[in-house]
Amino acid sequence: MIESRGSLTDEELIHLLKLGVIFLNYGDDSIQRLGYRIIVRYSNLNDEYRPLYDVAINKGFIPVSKFIEEHHFSIAETESFFKTYFSSYQDNFSQNGIYLSYGQKKLIEFSQATQGDFVLIAPTSYGKSEIIVNKVYQYLNQKICVIVPSKALLAQTKKRILNGVRGSDVGRIITHPEMYRGDEQSFVAVLTQERLLRLLQKNPKLRIDVALVDEAHNMLKKEERAVLLVQVMMILRKRNTSCKFNFFSPFISSALNLENPRSSYKLLTGRSEEFIKVERYFTCNTLSGNQLFFYDQFLNQFTELPSQRYQSDTQLILDKSAGKNIVYLNRPRDIVNFALRLSGIINTEISVAKIQEATTTIGDFLHPDYNLLKCIECGVVYHHGGMPELIRLYVESIFSDNKDLRYIITSSTLLEGVNIPAEKIFLLTNKIGRRIFTKSQFKNLIGRICRFSEVFDKQTGRLSMLEPEIYLIKSQYEAISANHASFLMTHAKSDIDLEDEVENILLKEETSLQTQVQRDELRKTLEYLENIEPDTVELPGMVYVDSQIAQLCFRNNVYDFNIAENEARLLNNIEEFGSNNKIIDTESLVNAIYAIFIYQIDVTSIALKRLENFPARRFYSMILNWRTQGSSYKEMITKFVGYWNSLEDKVVYFGSAWGEIKRNQEDFVENYIDLSQKSGAERVNLAILKIKEEQDFVEFNLLKYIEILFEIGLVEADYYEKIKYGTSDKRVISLLKNGFSIDLAKCITSADYAPFININTDTDIIEINGLIPEVMDANGENKLLIFEVRYHMRSLT
């Protein structure tokens, strides 16, 4: 490992460069990468970039060669004939002011030329998002749907499309099933698989022409959402045999693994395996030994770094950190814990106006005791799924735009579409969920640092970022048995092969299923699909349900019990419940969910099963009542803390993610928190977590049953809208469908902003005057709402 120029003589350096050239021309891919690593390391250590320039030109790494030409060559050098010639050659790779690599250019050409089904595979930073946007433009006269893996990516993808070079040609983008009018001859939709399925179910004759699937590797997983995504793709192809499927992923080993044996499509593959960046890996056990080691992925060897010993994870991170750093942890509780620890050690308040503005903004929006505020004051932010979505979006923005915020502590929420600037990453665990990172997941995560836009930035870019540093640190957040050395040798070694783990039962051939359990699972999944969309597959002895309520359970993605087996019980429950009076209050609503969908039914969902208990029903009645009132986050925090203060029994259920104690000896998991042992500030932070958790439970678990009750006529229409949207105001509902938060929607529909906003409630088209942020600021509105309205304006204007 070369660490300084002084460690080698001139003769040795020349010999090393010769070896680099020899390796670069060797047939083996891993050896070529080693040769490139030698050249990059030599150039960065010696500030001598002529060797790297020549290599970059020959390899087609045009962003590298152009950056060297503009930042590291003298005028005399750039005026030579050959440099002028090469400079002209590089201009062939310029696109919209950005220089592409040969691999990037080939991917773009592949996507433009391929009219049928394909999968495009390229590392993070290679412009997949831009290619998706360009494919949308290519098919503007057809019905297009971009399928994204999360709600958080809906607004971001919409913004990219409308801010692109042909964004003015797009017009309205459908992001909610109810935005589709039914008469459009062409449209652009950006939807999750759940929303797309809902759109298809509400419109049985709708045929999509082009489906662009972002983060397509999610299809391979063994989880409900992955199965649902494949089911939706099967429905699209069943309704329109000419529907084009374009898949995009940073890692898919073989396109064959995305091909569905029950749906006829064959995928062409566009792939780039360029190696413009070459990672540097380090590991340290701060619990034992404390020695920092360098791992060489080419030699598969560890080198002890003299005099580099660290007694704690925070000491190592503070010593090795760059301007922007990612710290990865698996559990939200650990994320908050570490962020507070790191902030406490830094313990230097940043007295910068933008930092103070951020803390005031979040404090006013949520609560001044929110833990995040203490962290921001010390240059630290955190980001996890238990935070309000608008706060997460704001955190991403302020971290990206503010040099004083140097550390972002985050979980796997970073893996899907969240692009933030960072130069180094520190992993305090090698797990995601309950499992160790797969090779592909690990590669995707470390690809999030030193993105091309940062490396080649004309003002702040540095070629040292071609060598991103990854630190695996064993500390209190890692299992005692974890072996980081073994992990690196199996996940980072230069010649390892990435293999797809195909766990989705719908992507497997029936003949490959080894057990009866697997065959039963496949049949159950196909029967489910058939009851959603008849005649999609051929399956002997297919079981179809007949009743409206059972059919609605299928159409609303009810997986909490076997619908067909419980059809008779559902009918009996609904008959006993009666249908004389419309439901207009939350107590009756929650009781109806229990009486019809849970009573004497074998419910497999532990979360839903809680409603068997009267206290749980009373609790969710309260939560839904807050929802009907359109309560803000700030209001709900106050209500939650007040509710807890009123309880005699202060031991409250929080689940395994945040629980600290067991309620009794029979419990296996620490699911509870004793609030009597918590301060007022601690209760506030727990309330923020609990609100997000319960909102998600309502959104993903209860709303489907409320939809069913409405569709069978048990819920009054105006009340249904209050439950679903938090209001029955059609103007606010239109804004919510367009992705606005309820706080912002209620704010800008007030009389103060009537001259600055036009809402067509029939088409859900929103027009916003560009002056509205300034007017909101003058009126003293929370700057988080002003941030959000600007975010939407970039999409709407």
Side-chain angles (χ1 to χ4, degrees):
M1 179 184 68
I2 316 167
E3 283 302 317
S4 67
R5 188 188 191 283
S7 62
L8 297 175
T9 65
D10 288 345
E11 185 178 349
E12 287 172 328
L13 285 171
I14 292 171
H15 187 68
L16 192 65
L17 287 173
K18 287 181 179 179
L19 284 176
V21 172
I22 292 170
F23 293 159
L24 276 163
N25 289 280
Y26 196 77
D28 183 84
D29 182 65
S30 179
I31 299 298
Q32 288 186 38
R33 289 171 185 261
L34 173 58
Y36 179 68
R37 197 269 288 275
I38 291 171
I39 303 298
V40 171
R41 193 84 188 119
Y42 167 86
S43 295
N44 279 326
L45 284 175
N46 294 277
D47 195 29
E48 167 55 70
Y49 288 97
R50 281 175 294 181
L52 181 57
Y53 178 83
D54 292 339
V55 169
I57 284 286
N58 280 281
K59 283 288 185 182
F61 299 168
I62 305 304
V64 177
S65 58
K66 194 65 183 179
F67 190 90
I68 293 172
E69 186 180 285
E70 293 177 346
H71 293 81
H72 295 282
F73 282 167
S74 66
I75 295 175
E77 286 178 302
T78 56
E79 288 180 348
S80 71
F81 170 76
F82 284 109
K83 291 297 185 292
T84 303
Y85 172 81
F86 287 136
S87 183
S88 299
Y89 167 73
Q90 291 170 113
D91 287 341
N92 293 319
F93 294 84
S94 177
Q95 179 175 292
N96 301 323
I98 297 173
Y99 284 89
L100 305 174
S101 71
Y102 178 82
Q104 286 177 300
K105 193 169 188 289
K106 285 297 180 184
L107 284 179
I108 291 172
E109 291 172 350
F110 167 82
S111 69
Q112 291 173 340
T114 307
Q115 301 297 315
D117 302 326
F118 70 76
V119 55
L120 189 145
I121 307 159
T124 304
S125 285
Y126 264 67
K128 291 187 294 296
S129 298
E130 288 73 17
I131 292 174
I132 291 174
V133 169
N134 288 329
K135 292 302 287 186
V136 169
Y137 296 156
Q138 185 176 342
Y139 295 114
L140 279 180
N141 62 335
Q142 299 185 51
K143 296 182 176 70
I144 314 161
C145 184
V146 183
I147 305 174
V148 296
S150 67
K151 286 173 62 179
L153 287 177
L154 291 172
Q156 291 182 36
T157 305
K158 175 182 173 181
K159 181 175 67 175
R160 288 192 188 108
I161 294 170
L162 291 176
N163 285 1
V165 293
R166 292 185 59 193
S168 59
D169 298 337
V170 177
R172 185 184 67 139
I173 292 181
I174 294 171
T175 57
H176 194 284
E178 294 177 19
M179 292 175 67
Y180 177 62
R181 297 191 298 270
D183 59 352
E184 294 96 330
Q185 296 304 305
S186 62
F187 61 77
V188 176
V190 179
L191 301 165
T192 60
Q193 55 263 49
E194 290 85 0
R195 292 190 179 191
L196 176 54
L197 178 60
R198 188 68 178 160
L199 174 66
L200 294 170
Q201 290 170 338
K202 290 172 71 70
N203 301 276
K205 295 183 179 180
L206 175 61
R207 291 157 49 100
I208 301 293
D209 299 308
V210 182
L212 310 174
V213 184
D214 196 12
E215 305 289 342
H217 49 272
N218 287 328
M219 291 175 62
L220 307 180
K221 296 179 180 178
K222 184 180 182 179
E223 58 182 39
E224 285 181 9
R225 299 194 73 236
V227 171
L228 178 61
L229 177 55
V230 177
Q231 289 175 329
V232 167
M233 303 300 289
M234 293 172 72
I235 294 171
L236 293 180
R237 185 52 67 97
K238 176 255 183 178
R239 290 193 186 182
N240 181 7
T241 56
S242 300
C243 180
K244 298 180 178 67
F245 290 168
N246 294 174
F247 299 99
F248 302 84
S249 173
F251 52 84
I252 289 289
S253 176
S254 171
L256 293 174
N257 292 322
L258 290 177
E259 293 178 359
N260 188 337
R262 295 158 196 88
S263 192
S264 57
Y265 60 88
K266 296 293 180 183
L267 298 174
L268 296 176
T269 302
R271 184 192 300 271
S272 175
E273 296 181 350
E274 286 183 328
F275 42 87
I276 292 179
K277 294 189 295 185
V278 55
E279 295 81 8
R280 287 165 54 79
Y281 298 97
F282 301 86
T283 184
C284 180
N285 186 342
T286 60
L287 300 178
S288 174
N290 312 117
Q291 181 66 56
L292 184 67
F293 290 87
F294 169 77
Y295 171 67
D296 189 314
Q297 66 267 43
F298 299 100
L299 303 180
N300 198 29
Q301 292 179 352
F302 290 86
T303 302
E304 183 177 318
L305 300 180
S307 305
Q308 297 200 46
R309 303 176 75 87
Y310 296 93
Q311 304 301 316
S312 68
D313 45 16
T314 52
Q315 181 192 13
L316 192 158
I317 290 170
L318 290 172
D319 184 52
K320 294 295 183 181
S321 60
K324 292 285 185 180
N325 308 274
I326 294 170
V327 179
Y328 173 84
L329 279 158
N330 187 28
R331 302 174 64 193
R333 180 166 58 187
D334 293 341
I335 288 170
V336 177
N337 173 281
F338 181 81
L340 290 170
R341 276 185 57 219
L342 185 63
S343 301
I345 292 170
I346 295 172
N347 198 28
T348 303
E349 188 171 325
I350 303 170
S351 57
V352 177
K354 287 188 177 180
I355 296 294
Q356 294 171 347
E357 179 182 282
T359 56
T360 301
T361 295
I362 297 172
D364 287 345
F365 187 78
L366 292 178
H367 197 283
D369 286 335
Y370 190 27
N371 282 331
L372 179 62
L373 309 187
K374 304 174 189 175
C375 300
I376 290 175
E377 290 171 349
C378 298
V380 179
V381 297
Y382 56 78
H383 184 285
H384 61 77
M387 301 167 66
E389 289 179 12
L390 182 56
I391 297 296
R392 289 213 312 263
L393 194 65
Y394 186 63
V395 163
E396 294 165 21
S397 175
I398 62 174
F399 181 78
S400 298
D401 297 340
N402 200 312
K403 64 181 178 58
D404 295 294
L405 296 175
R406 297 183 58 201
Y407 305 93
I408 182 165
I409 323 301
T410 186
S411 64
S412 58
T413 53
L414 190 70
L415 283 172
E416 292 183 342
V418 179
N419 298 329
I420 55 174
E423 187 174 343
K424 295 185 180 182
I425 186 168
F426 301 86
L427 288 84
L428 301 187
T429 175
N430 61 2
K431 296 184 75 173
I432 177 171
R434 297 183 177 181
R435 304 171 62 178
I436 291 175
F437 276 114
T438 65
K439 296 169 187 175
S440 297
Q441 287 171 333
F442 181 63
K443 183 178 180 181
N444 189 22
L445 179 63
I446 64 177
R448 295 286 164 183
I449 58 172
C450 298
R451 301 174 65 85
F452 286 177
S453 58
E454 301 155 38
V455 178
F456 305 116
D457 184 273
K458 292 183 182 296
Q459 279 73 46
T460 61
R462 288 177 291 108
L463 293 179
S464 60
M465 288 194 284
L466 291 176
E467 300 180 275
E469 294 184 3
I470 297 97
Y471 292 82
L472 273 79
I473 307 170
K474 189 163 183 179
S475 68
Q476 66 191 69
Y477 305 104
E478 185 65 283
I480 295 175
S481 60
N483 187 326
H484 286 173
S486 175
F487 176 83
L488 283 173
M489 288 189 289
T490 56
H491 286 68
K493 191 169 180 287
S494 62
D495 59 355
I496 60 170
D497 292 324
L498 297 181
E499 297 178 356
D500 299 328
E501 295 185 31
V502 184
E503 299 177 312
N504 191 325
I505 198 77
L506 283 179
L507 294 179
K508 295 183 178 183
E509 293 278 1
E510 192 164 2
T511 54
S512 70
L513 303 180
Q514 302 296 316
T515 67
Q516 188 60 44
V517 171
Q518 289 178 315
R519 290 188 284 273
D520 289 345
E521 180 187 351
L522 175 62
R523 182 174 183 87
K524 178 183 175 182
T525 304
L526 293 175
E527 285 186 346
Y528 201 102
L529 173 61
E530 270 297 292
N531 276 276
I532 295 173
E533 183 83 6
D535 303 322
T536 303
V537 294
E538 293 183 8
L539 195 65
M542 180 68 68
V543 176
Y544 294 96
V545 296
D546 299 316
S547 64
Q548 180 192 21
I549 189 169
Q551 290 171 351
L552 287 171
C553 284
F554 277 111
R555 292 174 191 167
N556 283 277
N557 308 318
V558 170
Y559 288 96
D560 299 323
F561 52 82
N562 188 304
I563 300 169
E565 290 180 3
N566 287 281
E567 184 174 15
R569 170 48 59 185
L570 286 168
L571 289 169
N572 187 66
N573 283 356
I574 200 169
E575 183 179 350
E576 290 186 2
F577 181 82
S579 57
N580 295 329
N581 298 314
K582 293 287 182 85
I583 296 171
I584 57 170
D585 64 87
T586 55
E587 184 178 350
S588 300
L589 183 62
V590 176
N591 285 335
I593 293 172
Y594 164 70
I596 296 173
F597 301 105
I598 300 174
Y599 178 67
Q600 292 191 352
I601 288 178
D602 184 18
V603 175
T604 56
S605 166
I606 296 174
L608 189 67
K609 207 171 175 63
R610 285 183 293 163
L611 294 185
E612 290 179 343
N613 304 308
F614 175 72
R617 296 200 295 276
R618 183 175 57 192
F619 174 79
Y620 283 105
S621 173
M622 177 184 72
I623 296 293
L624 287 172
N625 192 47
W626 297 349
R627 186 181 176 99
T628 63
Q629 297 167 2
S631 298
S632 68
Y633 242 96
K634 192 169 189 175
E635 291 168 338
M636 284 190 285
I637 293 167
T638 302
K639 290 176 180 179
F640 238 117
V641 173
Y643 165 73
W644 283 337
N645 290 341
S646 71
L647 296 175
E648 290 186 15
D649 183 358
K650 292 291 195 292
V651 178
V652 175
Y653 179 86
F654 265 80
S656 59
W658 297 97
E660 298 174 352
I661 62 172
K662 299 175 182 178
R663 189 174 184 89
N664 51 56
Q665 293 181 343
E666 287 74 33
D667 288 343
F668 293 102
V669 182
E670 296 167 335
N671 281 324
Y672 295 84
I673 291 178
D674 185 355
L675 294 175
S676 67
Q677 304 299 311
K678 301 298 179 182
S679 66
E682 289 173 321
R683 292 187 188 189
V684 164
N685 282 276
L686 289 170
I688 294 170
L689 295 169
K690 193 65 171 170
I691 290 167
K692 178 63 167 62
E693 182 180 284
E694 298 304 351
Q695 283 182 330
D696 287 346
F697 178 74
V698 169
E699 186 79 22
F700 299 113
N701 295 76
L702 293 188
L703 265 185
K704 63 179 72 174
Y705 296 106
I706 296 170
E707 294 269 7
I708 296 168
L709 293 176
F710 173 70
E711 292 189 56
I712 62 177
L714 287 181
V715 181
E716 190 268 334
D718 189 67
Y719 179 69
Y720 165 75
E721 289 193 333
K722 288 182 179 179
I723 283 286
K724 187 170 183 178
Y725 300 109
T727 180
S728 57
D729 185 324
K730 302 298 184 186
R731 300 173 77 239
V732 174
I733 290 173
S734 286
L735 288 166
L736 296 176
K737 289 178 182 177
N738 275 276
F740 288 66
S741 70
I742 186 140
D743 299 273
L744 178 59
K746 289 168 71 173
C747 172
I748 62 177
T749 51
S750 67
D752 291 343
Y753 304 107
F756 304 97
I757 183 166
N758 181 43
I759 304 171
N760 187 323
T761 56
D762 293 326
T763 62
D764 294 318
I765 293 177
I766 315 296
E767 296 176 359
I768 294 182
N769 187 301
L771 295 175
I772 198 169
E774 287 71 24
V775 177
M776 291 175 69
D777 194 31
N779 290 344
E781 304 291 358
N782 187 284
K783 292 190 183 297
L784 195 62
L785 299 183
I786 299 171
F787 159 77
E788 187 189 354
V789 82
R790 284 200 173 104
Y791 189 88
H792 286 292
M793 282 178 61
R794 290 197 292 271
S795 297
L796 292 166
T797 58

